[in-house]
Amino acid sequence: MTPETLSVRMTINGAPVGPVDIPEDLMMLEFLQEYVNLTGTRYGCGQGVCLACGIILDEDDGTSRLVPACITGAAYLDGRSVRTVEGHAARGPDGQVTRLSPIQRAFLEHFSFQCSYCTPGFVNAATVLVERLERAPVPRDEVEATVLAAMDGNICRCTGYVRYLTAVRDVILSTPGLTRGSDPGSRAS
Amino acid sequence: MKRLALILAGAAAAVLAVLAVVYLAFTGPGDIPPATVDFDALGDEEHADLVARGRYVARAADCVACHKSEDGLALAGGLPLETPFGTLYGTNVTPSDDHGIGDWSADDLYRAMVWGINPDGSRLYPAMPYASYHHVARADVDALWLYLMAERPVDKPNRPAELTFPFNIRPAIAFWNLLYRPDDPGLAEVAGKSESWHRGRYLVDVLGHCGECHTPRNLAYARTDAHLEGEVIEGALSPDISPEGLVRRGWTPEDLARFMREGLSPQGTMTFRMYPVLEHSSRYLTDADMTAMVTYLFDGAPGDGQRDPALAADAPPRQEADLPPEGRRLYVGLCAGCHGTEGEGHPHASVPLDTNTTAMLDDPLNLVRIIREGVPARTLAGEERMQAMPGFADRLDAAEMAALANYMRVRWGGRPGDVTPEQVEDIAEAHGG
């Protein structure tokens, strides 16, 4: 039985893609790698548990969320806007990377990863967290717990997480607007 | 006027007197047979054997499911049990003198399990399944008592029940007992049934107290005669496990034995309050006891032809075109990655849905709750485990949730796709918004 084919179009890293004909049960990860040639998103567990495949889904209301591309159907994301690890850095006219995002830079500075297999998912999860804090800052003394809770689902097998989490915490604490005073009574928030 | 008041007072006094007589004469403990062993004369080896037997009785009776502490300490008490009348907390049944049952005799344990009465004469709430344990063998109680007394005492105070009026009047339970506690603790032999069947009945109806969740209850919250035909308890449906109910959903004795032993079978995995049953009880049953249990549960099951025709292998395949298209889009987009486009599942990770029984239940409660809330990663018995299923409460609105539930009901459940968004909203409201 040949699977039913559907036509999809979406916005990926700000650029329109499609319409493309795909099998109706094609997963988003395979769509990115085989149809759009964006190979940075990684296939890890294939069950949406390790989040190496995590990509960013931009909702219509301006919020963003992490979505496991390995178990999310491409057809389900028809008409939506997503971002992958390839979409964070600023690029020059020929597509060359000219400037990394603050999260990407922090991961390099902290030597957060070794084999890098999980890194695309960590970059996207941390970026979603930063964007959430832009909308709803947390008290500075809650940053540690906030980072742990937000990044807890991403699995890494090399560095033991500490350098990833420290990098994310440093970006949040050093970026104005992501935190408010620990005592809202004494400081304007 | 004064005379009327006198008459009323007299009538009230008469009623109270009758109640007092009934209370004193008919609601107390019945007979307590003598212990089957001389506890003072036990040799070390005999003692060890009886403790081992008692541990098995405790497991078969699943004491830990209710008597463990909030942080998982077996038998120390504290786990909440939600009822329509308020919350009860499992009690400390370690041999702590101050907070547990350290000063209980084996007779005391028998009186509590069989008659629902504490050593001080106060009544246990029927959440303690003495109406099921009622038929427990004295020899099992003796072994259980030796086992409990050999456990390490935990000095953890009991938490009082938080029940609403009038259910917080403990002595009133005496009258519930009058109506719903069986009288004769004996369990009559049924002619023509095998030894295994009788053992199975004892494991299912007495020690395992399956009916406490699976049998429908009446307004007095007592079990009705619709033995094991399913009931909503603690927010989830304990399905119909009568022979007809089991067969209708495609259960076989072999699959049910595997499910009880490993927590997993083609029909699904254990969820809600059934998972602790695997964890503390059913995984420990011997092969002979497991066979006995399924022998009893399937006794009188209709032949193959009685399986729900919509689910039978030779039923005409449901055409994709007949299925709700929005449900299909959501299923393929959000579920198929793990459960497979055809519902075939992934071994050791996610259950098949094409044989899963959850969508086969008339009541969509469990199906909707699982889609909304997900299932935590679980270590099952043996080498088996299942990965976490995420909840979709924040991804799907009520209309989408209903469409998805209906897709599964129609495609694999043999049920009509009649779940409404309003039903989904009601379930959502009752379970965390």
Side-chain angles (χ1 to χ4, degrees):
Chain A
M1 195 177 92
T2 34
E4 205 181 319
T5 302
L6 295 173
S7 172
V8 298
R9 59 170 74 209
M10 56 186 88
T11 303
I12 301 179
N13 298 327
V17 170
V20 190
D21 285 342
I22 57 164
E24 65 155 355
D25 58 353
L26 187 77
M27 291 298 131
M28 187 61 185
L29 181 68
E30 206 173 343
F31 178 69
L32 289 170
Q33 298 202 340
E34 306 294 335
Y35 288 70
V36 197
N37 199 30
L38 291 174
T39 57
T41 305
R42 301 273 166 70
Y43 183 92
C45 67
Q47 293 280 309
V49 170
C50 75
L51 294 182
C53 70
I55 61 170
I56 301 174
L57 171 62
D58 287 307
E59 305 278 17
D60 296 337
D61 63 3
T63 62
S64 56
R65 66 187 305 154
L66 195 71
V67 169
C70 73
I71 56 163
T72 304
Y76 177 74
L77 297 173
D78 181 30
R80 313 294 290 274
S81 177
V82 301
R83 280 174 284 158
T84 67
V85 68
E86 291 91 345
H88 294 270
R91 291 176 189 267
D94 303 325
Q96 77 279 20
V97 170
T98 53
R99 187 170 44 81
L100 295 172
S101 77
I103 287 290
Q104 287 175 310
R105 264 201 314 278
F107 283 171
L108 287 174
E109 282 161 10
H110 285 266
F111 197 58
S112 295
F113 55 88
Q114 290 174 11
C115 86
S116 87
Y117 203 82
C118 63
T119 309
F122 269 91
V123 168
N124 287 330
T127 303
V128 165
L129 172 60
V130 167
E131 290 171 356
R132 190 183 96 204
L133 297 182
E134 283 170 359
R135 297 189 301 274
V138 292
R140 292 182 75 83
D141 58 6
E142 287 175 22
V143 166
E144 191 91 34
T146 304
V147 169
L148 182 58
M151 307 299 296
D152 203 30
N154 288 69
I155 292 177
C156 163
R157 291 280 97 120
C158 300
T159 61
Y161 305 103
V162 174
R163 291 168 180 178
Y164 267 132
L165 301 188
T166 309
V168 178
R169 189 192 63 196
D170 282 5
V171 168
I172 292 169
L173 289 176
S174 63
T175 306
L178 301 185
T179 57
R180 48 196 169 84
S182 52
D183 177 7
S186 64
R187 285 169 75 173
S189 59
Chain B
M1 199 60 208
K2 200 170 178 185
R3 209 171 139 185
L4 182 66
L6 269 176
I7 292 173
L8 282 177
V15 167
L16 281 176
V18 168
L19 285 178
V21 167
V22 169
Y23 181 87
L24 292 171
F26 299 108
T27 69
D31 287 343
I32 296 179
T36 54
V37 283
D38 182 354
F39 295 113
D40 297 327
L42 285 179
D44 285 351
E45 203 171 314
E46 220 177 340
H47 183 263
D49 286 349
L50 282 169
V51 166
R53 174 175 171 179
R55 178 183 292 115
Y56 188 78
V57 171
R59 283 171 169 170
D62 202 3
C63 306
V64 175
C66 291
H67 285 287
K68 76 174 173 185
S69 69
E70 311 87 302
D71 49 0
L73 208 53
L75 307 175
L79 203 72
L81 187 74
E82 313 283 348
T83 76
F85 324 108
T87 304
L88 293 148
Y89 299 89
T91 51
N92 184 338
V93 290
T94 70
S96 158
D97 285 332
D98 295 330
H99 304 292
I101 58 168
D103 56 354
W104 284 33
S105 65
D107 281 359
D108 290 336
L109 184 61
Y110 185 90
R111 189 187 302 107
M113 287 180 71
V114 173
W115 299 109
I117 295 177
N118 280 315
D120 65 4
S122 65
R123 264 65 180 176
L124 290 158
Y125 286 110
M128 163 71 180
Y130 57 83
S132 293
Y133 291 160
H134 192 68
H135 306 288
V136 70
R138 173 74 212 221
D140 278 345
V141 176
D142 292 337
L144 178 62
W145 181 77
L146 283 169
Y147 161 70
L148 290 173
M149 293 305 142
E151 285 293 282
R152 189 199 290 268
V154 179
D155 289 325
K156 178 176 185 292
N158 283 318
R159 188 163 167 186
E162 293 153 11
L163 297 186
T164 51
F165 182 82
F167 307 105
N168 53 359
I169 308 172
R170 250 181 207 266
I173 295 164
F175 298 98
W176 188 93
N177 288 345
L178 193 64
L179 291 171
Y180 300 114
R181 187 184 65 189
D183 294 327
D184 182 5
L187 201 52
E189 246 183 67
V190 178
K193 300 294 185 193
S194 65
E195 197 180 317
S196 182
W197 182 94
H198 282 96
R199 175 68 182 165
R201 178 179 64 167
Y202 183 67
L203 288 164
V204 168
D205 290 343
V206 182
L207 290 185
H209 61 282
C210 307
E212 296 288 335
C213 290
H214 285 278
T215 295
R217 288 174 183 270
N218 62 19
L219 282 176
Y221 218 58
R223 284 173 294 138
T224 61
D225 291 336
H227 190 47
L228 303 177
E229 289 179 16
E231 173 69 309
V232 173
I233 194 155
E234 287 201 293
L237 175 69
S238 303
D240 179 354
I241 54 167
S242 68
E244 295 76 16
L246 288 170
V247 169
R248 185 182 74 72
R249 301 195 304 278
W251 284 99
T252 63
E254 296 72 29
D255 285 344
L256 187 60
R258 184 181 155 199
F259 181 76
M260 297 300 290
R261 186 178 295 115
E262 298 172 15
L264 182 71
S265 73
Q267 290 78 6
T269 188
M270 290 188 175
T271 48
F272 302 113
R273 278 298 268 259
M274 195 62 196
Y275 177 66
V277 174
L278 170 78
E279 207 181 359
H280 308 299
S281 180
S282 65
R283 66 192 295 179
Y284 296 108
L285 292 184
T286 62
D287 288 353
D289 275 354
M290 194 63 84
T291 303
M293 219 163 106
V294 299
T295 300
Y296 175 68
L297 284 170
F298 274 88
D299 181 41
D304 284 350
Q306 295 299 308
R307 191 175 171 194
D308 192 329
L311 301 169
D314 56 358
R318 283 167 290 280
Q319 299 298 311
E320 287 297 339
D322 301 337
L323 297 170
E326 173 68 355
R328 167 103 189 143
R329 185 184 76 84
L330 295 167
Y331 179 79
V332 173
L334 295 175
C335 316
C338 292
H339 293 290
T341 313
E342 305 303 321
E344 67 274 21
H346 281 156
H348 317 300
S350 36
V351 295
L353 296 183
D354 53 355
T355 49
N356 193 287
T357 62
T358 307
M360 299 175 188
L361 303 166
D362 279 322
D363 187 339
L365 175 62
N366 292 4
L367 181 62
V368 170
R369 276 198 67 190
I370 285 170
I371 297 172
R372 290 191 75 253
E373 301 165 31
V375 182
R378 287 217 162 125
T379 305
L380 303 174
E383 307 277 296
E384 194 55 87
R385 69 189 304 282
M386 283 285 121
Q387 287 187 357
M389 167 178 159
F392 291 89
D394 64 340
R395 304 271 299 268
L396 300 172
D397 62 29
E400 290 174 317
M401 198 83 73
L404 182 54
N406 284 331
Y407 177 81
M408 292 190 230
R409 279 166 69 90
V410 173
R411 185 161 188 206
W412 295 301
R415 301 292 100 193
D418 56 3
V419 179
T420 64
E422 290 71 33
Q423 270 176 291
V424 172
E425 277 165 11
D426 288 346
I427 294 171
E429 202 169 312
H431 300 280

